[in-house]
């Protein structure tokens, strides 16, 4: 059994070893070829500062290229008793080259080694996710253009609302993916910084050329502060997880729409037959299993940032073994999202659209807003909540009441001259229309527009405030 890189003189307890190693051997297979690339850059730098000879470098590079090829083919394995990918690579080199193989560890720790592996892996995976998103984007744009003139009902509160189109529906998800790419781009920039050379988080006394490894590995820049390089473990994964979760949110919503629109109660779309399944008891069933699984997987991916935060959010600076657990939820997430993107791209490309949805009379009401807008353009008021309508109704009512008041006044003047009514009765009768008009106006102002009512009251109070102001100034004059 291979000796651990950290092993001293204490015998390792097998149960404790099993517990502490956990799923690391399984997870580190994701990182194998990236670990080899990091070692190739590191030893090239070591040779440049005199810690390796040219002959040693050449021998190591030949063997590392061989290991990389086996990792590319999926043939790389981490043996029983070997803790992780770093230990396995070093073990393979020492078997072939003797003590020269041990020199690849000079000037670095497993801490900055795994940081580097994670960043190289994540950088590669982000590019692949972006390519998968781009493929889906182009399918959605193509379908949006194809069905731009096919109407469908738009919904609010799951109630039919206004006319929409499949062009808008497909295009909405395409634009959502564009926003998602902003998150992914930011995550890539944060990821694309070189931590190699930070060692255990406090640097190395060797004159390491970190700029050289940064260039060799294609990083934009480096984590300049070695303490922060180690603090970035967990933070980088969380930031990338947010970007993945954002994409997953778009796909999950699209999957929900498609499942709902595919149901008999809607009948807006027809999913590809090979993406649906039957029932063991109901022969008529065509269940949208692929999109249902997509929805579930994407909902799970949306919890990824929270999972990572719960592992890392209460850790102080420095390295802690807690961070190892992040790999178990983070590394497999990329393939899961890429699978969902692949399935969604296929279904969206093959989906069939019902081009006669609005032939059903139950959707007639979605055009009601258009009728309202048409009448509004003709200056026909339709609502007491509309200021123009309030003015229209208020003025009309006021004119009618004023006409009635003038008619009543004319009649009463005749009756008074004829002695048919007394002065008191005539006075009360003549003031009834005034009272009615005032009451009506106050009612309209109170029930139509509170702001106008307040303004009207303010206007009525204006002369009284003016008198009060004069009285106050007069009182204050000595």
């Amino acid at each position: 059994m291979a000796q651990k890189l950290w092993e001293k003189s204490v015998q390792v307890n097998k149960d404790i070893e099993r517990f502490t190693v956990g799923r690391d051997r399984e997870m580190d297979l994701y990182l194998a070829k990236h670990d080899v690339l990091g070692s190739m850059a590191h030893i090239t730098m070591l040779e440049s500062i005199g810690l390796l000879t040219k002959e040693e470098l050449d021998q190591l590079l030949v063997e590392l290229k061989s290991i990389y090829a086996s990792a590319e083919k999926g043939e790389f394995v981490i043996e029983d008793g070997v803790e992780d990918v770093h230990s396995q690579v070093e073990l393979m080199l020492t078997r072939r080259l003797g003590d020269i193989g041990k020199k690849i560890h000079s000037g670095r720790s497993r801490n900055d080694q795994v940081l580097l592996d994670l960043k190289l892996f994540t950088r590669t995976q982000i590019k692949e996710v972006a390519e998968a998103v781009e493929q889906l984007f182009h399918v959605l744009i193509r379908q949006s253009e194809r069905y731009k003139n096919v109407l469908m009902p738009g919904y609010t509160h799951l109630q039919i609302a206004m006319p929409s189109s499949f062009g808008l529906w497909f295009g909405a998800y395409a634009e959502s993916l564009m926003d998602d790419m902003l998150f992914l781009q930011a995550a890539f920039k944060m990821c694309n910084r070189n931590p190699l050379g930070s060692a255990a988080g406090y640097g190395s006394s060797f004159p390491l050329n970190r700029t050289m490894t940064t260039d060799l590995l294609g990083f934009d820049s480096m984590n300049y502060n070695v303490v922060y390089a180690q603090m970035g473990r967990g933070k980088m994964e969380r930031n990338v997880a947010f970007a993945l979760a954002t994409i997953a949110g778009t796909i999950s919503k699209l999957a929900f729409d498609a499942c709902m629109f595919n149901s008999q109660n809607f009948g807006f779309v027809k999913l590809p037959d090979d993406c649906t399944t039957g029932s063991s008891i109901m022969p008529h069933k065509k269940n949208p299993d692929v999109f249902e699984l997509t929805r579930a997987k994407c909902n799970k991916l949306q919890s990824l940032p929270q999972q990572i935060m719960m592992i890392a959010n209460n850790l102080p600076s420095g390295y802690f073994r807690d961070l190892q657990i992040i790999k178990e939820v983070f590394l497999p997430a990329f393939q899961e999202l890429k699978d969902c993107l692949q399935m969604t791209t296929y279904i969206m490309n093959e989906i069939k659209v019902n081009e006669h949805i609005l032939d059903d009379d139950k959707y007639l009401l979605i055009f009601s807003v258009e009728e309202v807008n048409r009448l509004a353009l003709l200056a026909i008021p339709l609502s007491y909540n509309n200021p123009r309508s309030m003015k229209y109704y208020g003025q009309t009512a006021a004119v009618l009441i004023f006409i009635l008041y003038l008619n009543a006044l004319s009649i009463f003047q005749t009756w008074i001259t004829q002695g048919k009514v007394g002065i008191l009765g005539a006075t009360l009768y003549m003031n009834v229309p005034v009272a009615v008009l005032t009451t009506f106006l106050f009612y309209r102002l109170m029930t139509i527009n509170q702001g106008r009512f307040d303004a009207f009251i303010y206007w009525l109070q204006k002369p009284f405030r003016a008198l009060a102001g004069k009285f106050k100034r007069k009182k204050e004059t000595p």
Side-chain angles (χ1 to χ4, degrees), residues 167 177 190 303 353 355 459:
L177 290 175
M190 285 183 277
S303 72
V353 166
E355 300 188 15
W459 177 77

Side-chain angles (χ1 to χ4, degrees), residues 452-467:
R452 291 185 178 229
F453 175 69
D454 293 341
F456 183 66
I457 294 299
Y458 181 85
W459 177 77
L460 288 177
Q461 293 172 346
K462 191 173 182 179
F464 297 99
R465 284 196 302 273
L467 287 172

Side-chain angles (χ1 to χ4, degrees), residues 61-98:
L61 286 175
V62 168
E63 294 303 327
L64 284 171
K65 288 177 182 177
S66 174
I67 297 172
Y68 182 89
S70 69
E72 277 274 81
K73 297 175 184 176
E75 298 172 354
F76 181 89
V77 294
I78 299 175
E79 302 170 18
D80 290 341
V82 179
E83 275 190 306
D84 50 42
V85 64
H86 326 299
S87 304
Q88 181 65 41
V89 170
E90 185 171 326
L91 176 63
M92 295 169 73
L93 290 174
T94 54
R95 282 174 178 168
R96 300 172 188 178
L97 301 174

Side-chain angles (χ1 to χ4, degrees), residues 409-430:
L409 184 61
S410 176
I411 293 170
F412 264 83
Q413 284 176 340
T414 303
W415 287 354
I416 290 170
T417 57
Q418 295 176 355
K420 293 182 178 180
V421 294
I423 298 298
L424 179 60
T427 303
L428 291 173
Y429 204 121
M430 290 166 61

Side-chain angles (χ1 to χ4, degrees), residues 168 172 241 259 465:
L168 285 172
C259 288
R465 284 196 302 273

Side-chain angles (χ1 to χ4, degrees), residues 7 73 179 182 196 346 383 426 466 477:
E7 192 174 336
K73 297 175 184 176
D179 278 352
L182 297 177
L196 188 59
Y346 175 76
S383 171
T477 302

Side-chain angles (χ1 to χ4, degrees), residues 57-160:
L57 173 63
D58 291 341
Q59 292 177 3
L60 286 168
L61 286 175
V62 168
E63 294 303 327
L64 284 171
K65 288 177 182 177
S66 174
I67 297 172
Y68 182 89
S70 69
E72 277 274 81
K73 297 175 184 176
E75 298 172 354
F76 181 89
V77 294
I78 299 175
E79 302 170 18
D80 290 341
V82 179
E83 275 190 306
D84 50 42
V85 64
H86 326 299
S87 304
Q88 181 65 41
V89 170
E90 185 171 326
L91 176 63
M92 295 169 73
L93 290 174
T94 54
R95 282 174 178 168
R96 300 172 188 178
L97 301 174
D99 287 344
I100 295 176
K102 296 180 180 180
K103 292 188 176 184
I104 67 166
H105 203 65
S106 303
R108 65 176 176 173
S109 161
R110 285 193 301 175
N111 289 4
D112 65 335
Q113 203 169 345
V114 70
L115 273 171
L116 177 64
D117 292 0
L118 284 168
K119 287 198 170 189
L120 292 175
F121 167 82
T122 303
R123 188 175 67 177
T124 300
Q125 293 298 312
I126 287 176
K127 290 179 179 177
E128 292 182 7
V129 168
E131 290 169 358
V133 170
E134 183 184 18
Q135 291 178 17
L136 175 57
F137 172 84
H138 287 306
V139 167
L140 291 171
I141 289 295
R142 187 165 61 248
Q143 296 287 55
S144 177
E145 179 64 24
R146 178 181 178 184
Y147 294 111
K148 64 183 179 182
N149 295 321
V150 178
L151 295 182
M152 64 181 292
Y155 288 82
T156 62
H157 309 279
L158 273 182
Q159 309 292 309
I160 57 172

